[in-house]
Amino acid sequence: MGHIKEPLGVDLVVDPTPLTKDEKKKICEIIAYYKATGKKIPFKKIVSKKGLKKSK
């Protein structure tokens, strides 16, 4: 692995992103499906970002 040099005046901080119960459950389902079948779950592809709503 390489070393990441911080630019002057910038602090790089890596923190884990907290997950909700729903996100944890979905991740567990995806892992269980992969272990059972050896395949990835097919997801719908987003064609454009125009249909996405902004979260408040």
Side-chain angles (χ1 to χ4, degrees):
M1 273 189 132
H3 176 73
I4 299 174
K5 184 177 179 183
E6 292 182 353
L8 294 176
V10 175
D11 293 327
L12 299 177
V13 179
V14 180
D15 288 331
T17 303
L19 299 174
T20 64
K21 289 182 181 181
D22 292 336
E23 291 171 333
K24 288 179 186 178
K25 184 178 177 184
K26 185 65 178 174
I27 290 171
C28 290
E29 290 173 1
I30 291 169
I31 292 171
Y33 179 84
Y34 181 78
K35 285 183 177 181
T37 63
K39 298 178 183 178
K40 295 179 184 177
I41 293 178
F43 290 103
K44 294 179 182 177
K45 293 184 179 180
I46 298 174
V47 178
S48 69
K49 293 184 179 182
K50 289 182 180 180
L52 298 178
K53 295 180 181 178
K54 292 184 181 180
S55 60
K56 293 181 182 179

